[in-house]
Amino acid sequence: MKVLELKKVNKIYDGSEVPVHAVNDVSLDFDEAEFVAIVGPSGSGKTTLLNLIGGLDMPSSGEIIIDGTNLSKLKSSQLIDFRMRNIGFVFQAYNLIPVLTAKENVEFIMSLQKWPRKERDERTLELLNAVGLGDRINSRPSKLSGGQQQRVAVARALASRPKFVLADEPTANLDSKSATTLLGIMETLNHGEKITFIFSTHDPRVVKMAHRVITLEDGRVISDDVRE
Amino acid sequence: MILSISWKNIWRNKVRSLVVIVASTLGIISGVMVVGIMEGWVEQRLHDAIYNEVSHIQIHNSDYLKNEEINLTVQDTALVAEAVKQLPGLKGWVARTKMVVMANTPWANTGIFIYGIDPEREKQVSEIYKKIIPGAGNYLDKDKPGTILISDKTAEILKLKQYCLTDTVIGKLERGEFPKSVLSKLAGIKDERFRSPKDFRAILKSLLTGKELDNYGRQLMDSSLEYKIRNKIQITLSDEQGTPVQGTFRVCGIYRTTNTGFDQVTAFVNAGELAALYDGKSILIHEIAIMIEDIENAGSAKEKLSGISRHNTVSTWKELAPDAAMMNDFMIIYYFIFIGIVMFALAFGIINTMMMTILERTRELGMLMAIGMNRRRIFSMIMLETIFLTVVGAAAGMVGGWVIVMSLGKTGIHFLSWGEGFEAIGFAATVYPVITPFFFIIITIMVISTAIISSVWPARKALKLDPAEAIRTE
C-alpha cells in the first residue's frame, strides 16, 4: 500500500544571487513498511528532500502526497497537525525535551493528540521496552548515553503510530556499537509496527541494512535500488 | 503536559530564573511596603480626622461658616435633633458651643476655638478623651467646675510646658542606665527652666555632640518635660451684645492628637460654664456633630438632614476634611501608579530573560514545531513560563510584604525625627502600615497582565522560527 508519493518535486533556493536547485524533479513512491536509505554526498539534497517529505519545507513545484493528502494544499496550522498525526521524526542530535523523562518524552506526542492516559502509558512502556529502555523510563536525557537518547527518540517517533518515520542521519553521533543496536531496533520495529522508515545517511552500516537505497546527486535521483 | 513542561523549563537555568524571581520578590515587597505605609497613614489620617476633628456629619448655621459670630447658632434645633435621632445607624450625636476666644496666661496669649461640650456625651463622637498625655492631667469632668482641656501645642504656645533637668529627672535617667558622661555635660543646666522645646533643644545641641543628640536627645526632652497642670488660663470672648467678657479656667488636662494644626486652636470646657460667661441663661448651639455606624451612609444622612432648615448647612466628613477625603479616594490611583512603575521595570527583566531563553532553545523549539506542537501551544508554553517566572516571585513578594507589613503594623514605624513636620499636616509620627486584600487582588491582576504582555515579544520570536532551520542550529 502506497503511503507516500513524490511527483516531479523541485526545490529551488533563490535567496542568493545564484539560485540553488536543491531537489531536482524527484518522483518517488514509498510503500507501507519499507526500510529506505537515502544516500548521497554532502550537498546532494538528502536533508532538503527529507524536510520536503516531512512538511517542514514546501516544494517550489511538484506534489507530495501522503496517504492521499497533498501537503501543498494544507494551511500552515493544518500542516503542523498533519505532521503530528502522520510523520515521526528522528534527528541527528536526538533533540529530546531535556526537562522530561524518557517516558514523558515518548508520550509527549500522544498527549498532544489527547490519547487517554491508560493507552498512552501502555504504548509508552511497550515502545521503551522495545528499544531496551524499560528500566530507564524515569531517566532524563542528561542521564542517558547518546545511543540511549536516540533510542528514546525512535520510540517517540513511533509513539502515535505515524504513516512513516523520517530519520536524518540517525547514527551520525553514535559509536559503532550504539549505532548497530539502534539499527537493529529500528529494523525490528519496522517489521513489527509495519511503519515505513526513511533515513538519510552516510553510514555504510545503515545502507547495508536498508531494503531500498535511493542515491541522490545534485538534487537528482540517480539510482533507486530495491534489495530482496 | 504544556503546564508541566513550562514549569520545568523555568528551572533549567536556576540562577537566571532566581535572579528574575528575586527581583520580582523585592519589587513586590517594596510595593507592598510603600503602599502599606501610605495606606497606614491615610487610614490614620482618616480615622483621626473623623474621630478627633469632624465626625461623620456636622450641622452649622450657614452664616456661621462664613463668619463665626456668637449669634449665628444652628436653627430649628428641636426639629434637627428629632431628625438626627431618626437617622438609621446613628451611633451618637452632640450639640456644641463653638467660639473664637483669646486665651491668656501670665506669659503668653493666643487665639483659639473654645468648644463648650457635655464631656460624657462628647465621647459618643470624639476620641479626644483617649488622647490625654500620660501624666498630664485628666479629661474634662462635669463635676469639677472651672476646668479647661487644652492641647500640648496650646500649652507650648501659652508657656504652660517647660523643660527642666531636676534631681528627680536625673535620678530616673541614671536608673535607666543613661550614660553618665552625657549627664555630666548637662550639669550646667540642672534646675534651669526652658519654656519652649526650641530653646531646650538648642541648649542640648550646644552641650552635646551630634551623635549624643541623635541617640539621647528625644529621651532627654521627654524626661525633662513638665506641664503646669492646674495653672490658670484667662479666656476673653464677646457676649451676644458684643461686650467683651472674661473667665478663668484651670487646666485639667492636656491632650495631643496627630494634627498640631487642629490642636493649637482647639480647647474644651463644660458647655454650661461657657454659657455662664456669655449670658448665663442658655447654651448656644453652633455645631451639631453626628457619628453613624457606616461612613458610606454619610451622604444619604446629609440628604435627610438638609431639608429641615434652609438656614443650616449640613456637611459630611468629605467636605469638612477634604484632605483626608482626597487621600482616601486617591489611594486606588496611587496603587496603580506605584505598582505600575514596579511592573514596568520588572517587565524589562522578564523580557530579557525570556528572549535569552528563546535564543538558547532555538533547536528545541524547532524540534517541537517539527513533531507537531502548533503555534498556539508554543505561544502558551512561552506565556506560561513567563507567568510562572513572574508569579513565583510576585507570590513570594506578596507573602513577604504581607508578613513585614503585618509585623510593622503591630510595632509601627517611627519617624520621630520628622514627627513635628508630619504632625503639622495631620499625620502621625508613628505609622502603622496596613494592607487590604483588595490591594493583593490589584497586584495579582497587574502581575499576570505584566507577565502576559512581557511574554508576547519572546513568544512572537519563537513563533517566527523556521523549524527546518531551527533544528540545524548548534
Side-chain angles (χ1 to χ4, degrees):
Chain A
M1 197 180 92
K2 204 181 283 181
V3 292
L4 170 64
E5 198 178 351
L6 278 73
K7 292 181 181 171
K8 293 182 176 300
V9 171
N10 285 280
K11 180 67 186 178
I12 301 164
Y13 291 108
D14 48 9
S16 58
E17 282 178 18
V18 183
V20 177
H21 214 137
V23 172
N24 196 342
D25 205 28
V26 170
S27 294
L28 291 165
D29 290 343
F30 297 88
D31 289 333
E32 187 183 68
E34 278 199 90
F35 202 61
V36 186
I38 299 175
V39 298
S42 293
S44 59
K46 301 188 295 292
T47 300
T48 305
L49 185 62
L50 283 193
N51 285 344
L52 292 171
I53 295 171
L56 297 175
D57 210 347
M58 281 292 122
S60 306
S61 65
E63 290 179 345
I64 297 168
I65 296 161
I66 297 170
D67 207 24
T69 303
N70 186 341
L71 293 192
S72 306
K73 306 274 185 220
L74 297 176
K75 289 181 196 164
S76 167
S77 57
Q78 289 173 319
L79 189 60
I80 292 172
D81 194 57
F82 186 84
R83 274 204 304 264
M84 179 175 69
R85 293 179 193 287
N86 297 285
I87 308 170
F89 288 89
V90 177
F91 304 97
Q92 184 179 330
Y94 329 134
N95 285 357
L96 297 176
I97 303 169
V99 293
L100 301 184
T101 61
K103 178 177 178 285
E104 288 167 337
N105 264 289
V106 174
E107 67 179 3
F108 181 69
I109 305 275
M110 291 183 278
S111 100
L112 291 183
Q113 290 183 26
K114 297 189 168 43
W115 281 37
R117 159 69 67 184
K118 191 164 172 273
E119 283 178 40
R120 221 159 67 193
D121 286 347
E122 282 171 4
R123 177 73 174 153
T124 305
L125 287 176
E126 177 193 343
L127 285 167
L128 282 171
N129 282 324
V131 298
L133 292 172
D135 57 341
R136 304 300 301 272
I137 60 170
N138 291 321
S139 299
R140 288 203 176 177
S142 58
K143 301 289 177 196
L144 299 172
S145 69
Q148 288 171 326
Q149 287 187 55
Q150 197 63 306
R151 281 190 262 158
V152 175
V154 169
R156 178 180 68 185
L158 291 166
S160 62
R161 296 196 176 90
K163 297 280 182 305
F164 57 87
V165 170
L166 296 174
D168 189 7
E169 306 267 9
T171 57
N173 289 355
L174 301 182
D175 59 48
S176 176
K177 192 181 166 198
S178 300
T180 309
T181 308
L182 181 77
L183 288 168
I185 288 166
M186 284 166 73
E187 194 178 27
T188 308
L189 288 167
N190 167 246
H191 282 302
E193 299 267 332
K194 300 273 179 235
I195 291 173
T196 302
F197 274 73
I198 304 168
F199 30 87
S200 69
T201 186
H202 281 107
D203 190 338
R205 290 165 301 187
V206 181
V207 178
K208 200 174 146 192
M209 292 180 82
H211 307 158
R212 180 180 169 193
V213 179
I214 298 167
T215 310
L216 289 182
E217 203 173 287
D218 296 331
R220 289 176 185 278
V221 175
I222 57 163
S223 69
D224 185 352
D225 301 327
V226 178
R227 297 169 182 171
E228 292 303 320
Chain B
M1 186 65 108
I2 301 288
L3 213 68
S4 156
I5 292 178
S6 301
W7 175 252
K8 287 171 179 168
N9 274 339
I10 67 168
W11 300 110
R12 283 165 78 156
N13 189 329
K14 288 193 178 72
V15 174
R16 190 169 58 204
S17 296
L18 280 172
V19 166
V20 177
I21 288 168
V22 169
S24 315
T25 305
L26 293 177
I28 297 295
I29 285 179
S30 64
V32 172
M33 287 266 301
V34 171
V35 171
I37 290 170
M38 286 299 297
E39 182 86 43
W41 256 323
V42 169
E43 203 168 271
Q44 166 264 312
R45 176 71 197 116
L46 192 62
H47 178 274
D48 290 357
I50 289 169
Y51 287 88
N52 297 339
E53 300 166 28
V54 298
S55 310
H56 286 141
I57 300 159
Q58 286 189 359
I59 305 172
H60 299 94
N61 183 316
S62 302
D63 291 332
Y64 182 84
L65 294 173
K66 297 172 205 156
N67 185 12
E68 286 138 348
E69 284 182 18
I70 188 168
N71 298 322
L72 298 173
T73 54
V74 175
Q75 298 296 288
D76 303 311
T77 45
L79 285 173
V80 171
E82 206 48 48
V84 169
K85 285 176 197 166
Q86 302 301 318
L87 282 178
L90 178 71
K91 258 173 89 177
W93 69 284
V94 293
R96 299 167 177 153
T97 308
K98 182 181 174 186
M99 303 177 78
V100 184
V101 303
M102 183 60 76
N104 305 288
T105 63
W107 310 279
N109 60 64
T110 185
I112 55 170
F113 284 114
I114 196 159
Y115 285 82
I117 60 169
D118 176 336
E120 284 311 306
R121 207 182 151 112
E122 188 71 17
K123 289 178 183 174
Q124 293 177 14
V125 299
S126 163
E127 290 185 351
I128 291 290
Y129 71 97
K130 293 181 180 173
K131 306 291 175 187
I132 309 299
I133 296 169
N138 300 302
Y139 182 63
L140 273 181
D141 188 341
K142 220 172 183 177
D143 298 330
K144 289 183 181 164
T147 55
I148 184 168
L149 179 68
I150 61 167
S151 71
D152 172 71
K153 191 69 187 171
T154 308
E156 186 181 318
I157 293 166
L158 294 175
K159 313 270 188 217
L160 296 176
K161 189 174 166 182
Q162 64 185 22
Y163 296 86
C164 187
L165 267 175
T166 59
D167 284 331
T168 316
V169 172
I170 291 168
K172 205 171 153 189
L173 286 171
E174 280 175 343
R175 284 195 296 280
E177 294 177 5
F178 196 88
K180 284 203 167 76
S181 58
V182 175
L183 286 176
S184 65
K185 287 184 180 180
L186 303 172
I189 57 166
K190 187 170 161 280
D191 293 329
E192 194 176 333
R193 292 179 189 281
F194 298 88
R195 292 205 183 275
S196 84
K198 198 176 162 190
D199 295 344
F200 189 58
R201 203 177 296 120
I203 195 79
L204 290 181
K205 201 174 173 185
S206 68
L207 296 171
L208 303 178
T209 64
K211 199 176 172 189
E212 285 169 338
L213 195 65
D214 286 345
N215 292 340
Y216 308 110
R218 176 151 287 274
Q219 195 182 352
L220 280 168
M221 300 264 308
D222 291 346
S223 306
S224 310
L225 177 61
E226 287 174 9
Y227 290 102
K228 293 183 176 176
I229 307 297
R230 305 295 301 157
N231 255 56
K232 286 179 183 172
I233 296 178
Q234 189 180 55
I235 299 295
T236 308
L237 53 93
S238 298
D239 68 9
E240 287 180 273
Q241 286 72 45
T243 312
V245 290
Q246 288 184 330
T248 304
F249 295 87
R250 277 187 192 279
V251 176
C252 67
I254 291 174
Y255 73 89
R256 182 177 185 163
T257 73
T258 54
N259 187 355
T260 46
F262 168 82
D263 286 2
Q264 74 177 26
V265 294
T266 310
F268 301 90
V269 295
N270 280 302
E273 290 169 23
L274 192 60
L277 267 184
Y278 52 75
D279 75 355
K281 293 172 195 164
S282 62
I283 294 172
L284 298 177
I285 298 171
H286 298 110
E287 183 172 290
I288 290 175
I290 302 160
M291 201 67 100
I292 52 178
E293 295 286 351
D294 187 355
I295 191 171
E296 300 297 330
N297 294 334
S300 60
K302 174 185 169 168
E303 277 176 33
K304 287 191 176 81
L305 298 171
S306 290
I308 295 167
S309 170
R310 64 187 176 85
H311 300 293
N312 294 338
T313 295
V314 183
S315 314
T316 65
W317 66 275
K318 285 195 174 191
E319 294 154 304
L320 297 161
D323 59 324
M326 186 275 287
M327 280 189 293
N328 189 50
D329 295 345
F330 186 71
M331 273 313 284
I332 182 81
I333 300 166
Y334 181 79
Y335 286 164
F336 279 110
I337 293 173
F338 191 80
I339 297 300
I341 292 168
V342 172
M343 290 295 133
F344 187 70
L346 195 60
F348 282 97
I350 296 167
I351 290 171
N352 181 47
T353 302
M354 290 312 293
M355 290 298 268
M356 284 171 72
T357 301
I358 301 301
L359 204 67
E360 283 175 4
R361 282 163 48 198
T362 300
R363 192 168 67 185
E364 184 184 318
L365 289 166
M367 176 274 293
L368 289 171
M369 288 173 175
I371 66 174
M373 201 158 158
N374 61 26
R375 286 167 186 276
R376 186 174 52 80
R377 285 181 169 132
I378 295 276
F379 192 92
S380 304
M381 185 178 74
I382 305 289
M383 198 172 73
L384 280 170
E385 283 179 35
T386 319
I387 290 174
F388 283 145
L389 197 62
T390 318
V391 165
V392 167
M398 283 193 265
V399 172
W402 180 78
V403 169
I404 294 170
V405 165
M406 283 299 115
S407 73
L408 288 175
K410 286 177 186 153
T411 61
I413 304 173
H414 308 286
F415 295 98
L416 298 178
S417 306
W418 301 282
E420 217 170 304
F422 279 128
E423 288 178 359
I425 53 169
F427 290 100
T430 299
V431 60
Y432 296 89
V434 285
I435 208 81
T436 59
F438 177 65
F439 174 66
F440 285 116
I441 294 171
I442 291 180
I443 287 197
T444 307
I445 292 169
M446 289 182 79
V447 162
I448 292 173
S449 307
T450 305
I452 291 171
I453 293 165
S454 304
S455 69
V456 171
W457 194 9
R460 271 173 59 88
K461 182 134 179 107
L463 294 183
K464 280 182 183 169
L465 291 173
D466 172 4
E469 264 181 41
I471 289 165
R472 286 197 292 272
T473 308
E474 288 301 319

